[in-house]
Amino acid sequence: WYHDAPLDQTEHPTEKTTLLLRQHIGTSAIPCVQKGERVVRGQCVAEIPEGALGAPVHASIDGIVSEITEQSITVIRG
């Protein structure tokens, strides 16, 4: 019942993305960027405190940080 599933590298552009600061059962990441700051795809935008279990968060698009809440960081393309 195996089906061939070739990799599809088609890009699906988005104008806005919301990055959750809590990725799993660990600690929420702490933003290391500010509202209005320009970020690039792959840049770390939130880090885990030293000694804590969690996952750092990286920007998935180039853009500008439009909002930071306790739960998320929103980046708009720009």
Side-chain angles (χ1 to χ4, degrees):
W1 51 280
Y2 174 80
H3 296 280
D4 187 30
L7 177 63
D8 178 2
Q9 294 190 19
T10 304
E11 293 208 18
H12 301 279
T14 181
E15 293 303 311
K16 176 174 94 169
T17 187
T18 300
L19 309 165
L20 299 179
L21 296 175
R22 188 172 186 148
Q23 297 290 316
H24 53 73
I25 198 168
T27 302
S28 294
I30 298 172
C32 58
V33 294
Q34 296 179 6
K35 184 176 178 180
E37 186 173 336
R38 179 169 295 283
V39 296
V40 295
R41 182 178 175 184
Q43 177 181 340
C44 184
V45 295
E47 299 174 330
I48 297 300
E50 190 172 331
L53 175 65
V57 179
H58 298 81
S60 56
I61 62 172
D62 295 343
I64 298 170
V65 176
S66 66
E67 183 178 14
I68 298 175
T69 69
E70 288 186 26
Q71 294 82 28
S72 65
I73 296 174
T74 301
V75 179
I76 56 172
R77 190 173 300 278

